[in-house]
Each structure stands twice: as C-alpha cells, then as structure tokens.
Amino acid sequence: MFLLSPTPVRRRPAVHAVLGLALAALAASTQAQSQRHTGELLAVVLPAATLGTELVRGDTEGAWQFAQSLGVTALGTEVLKHTTRVERPDGSDRQSFPSGHAAWAFSSAAYVRQRHGWLASAPLYLAAAYVGQTRVDARRHRWGDILGSALVAEASAMWLVQPAPGLRVGIVPVLEQHQVGVTLLARW
C-alpha cells in the first residue's frame, strides 16, 4: 500500500465542492424515499460534479482528461454489456456485466485518485460503492458486475489521466510494445 501525502490546501475546496454536490443529491433523493433512485442520481451527479469542479478550478486539462476517461469507461462498459450478455439477477435482460451506473460513479473516483491522489478520492470511492450497493439491492447487478465496472473505470483513468502538477505522489501506467506496468512518481 502506498502512503500518499495529503492534498494541498488549495485543492481542498474542490473536494468539498464535489462532496457538497453529492450530499445535495442524497438529500434530494431522500425526498423521493428510494435508495435505488439515490444510487441512480449519484451515478449522474458524481461525474457532473467532478467535471464542474475541475472547470470551476480552471483545470481545463483535467476536465478534458476526465471527459475522455468517462467516455472510454462508458464505451467499454457498453461493449462488455453487449458481448458478455450476462443475465441480470432479476432476469429482465442480458446486460448485467458490467454495471453502467457503477461505472459512471467509479469513473469520478478513479479520475480524482489518478489526478489528485488517494486522500481526495476516498469519499468518491465510498459514494461509488454505495451506487453499486443500490444496484445489487435492486437485483439489477451482482457484486462481480460492480467490480467489473470499477476495473473498467480504473483502467481508463490510469491510461488517460495524468497526475496534477504539484501532486507529490502518483501512479502512472507504462504501456510499451513488450511490457505493461506502473511507475510510482514521488517528489520530496
């Protein structure tokens, strides 16, 4: 396990903005009295809040990288749904693997982890796991579907997202003709 330095003070308002929007989504869905609707709402609010936060912060490069990562995650998820044809637990169709809702939510967490570090992303991983829980509870997915979504989002973020300037510790993928790996970047 890598120990990452805390997010610099200038970045904390961005994390608070994302959390504030996520909490607003939870409050709004409480009125709807539905856990499933809360998960569905969070699956949309988390990416929108992540993109909005980066734009408000003036990190247009980060916003572009997030948009690309989210797009690749969504496309990868749809391709897998239509090629694996895994039946949903409720039997409604054969598009269970991976979960699209969870993929959208995990794309935010994976982006923030890759761009800003583990500390900044921890609340987003909790929110994404909650989205996954709502999908399992609704019998639309199994936990393997949720894990598959998280892996697609992580792979996309590791491929397309660069650590923010000033980040003290980061993980960058290495993809070459005859090797695949990760590089740990650290600054003292």
Side-chain angles (χ1 to χ4, degrees), residues 36-90:
R36 180 175 174 182
H37 286 66
T38 302
E40 291 170 353
L41 188 59
L42 273 175
V44 174
V45 168
L46 288 174
T50 300
L51 182 62
T53 298
E54 295 299 74
L55 291 173
V56 166
R57 292 176 60 240
D59 186 0
T60 54
E61 181 64 28
W64 175 240
Q65 289 176 16
F66 174 65
Q68 290 176 314
S69 182
L70 178 62
V72 168
T73 298
L75 180 63
T77 299
E78 288 304 311
V79 167
L80 284 169
K81 280 181 173 294
H82 290 89
T83 56
T84 60
R85 301 198 30 82
V86 176
E87 186 174 8
R88 292 185 187 272
D90 67 3

Side-chain angles (χ1 to χ4, degrees), residues 61-126:
E61 181 64 28
W64 175 240
Q65 289 176 16
F66 174 65
Q68 290 176 314
S69 182
L70 178 62
V72 168
T73 298
L75 180 63
T77 299
E78 288 304 311
V79 167
L80 284 169
K81 280 181 173 294
H82 290 89
T83 56
T84 60
R85 301 198 30 82
V86 176
E87 186 174 8
R88 292 185 187 272
D90 67 3
S92 63
D93 63 33
R94 300 186 65 82
Q95 294 183 3
S96 184
F97 180 84
S99 166
H101 289 82
W104 279 65
F106 277 109
S107 70
S108 289
Y111 165 79
V112 170
R113 180 205 43 77
Q114 184 71 10
R115 185 90 174 150
H116 302 291
W118 286 103
L119 185 62
S121 66
L124 298 174
Y125 278 107
L126 290 173

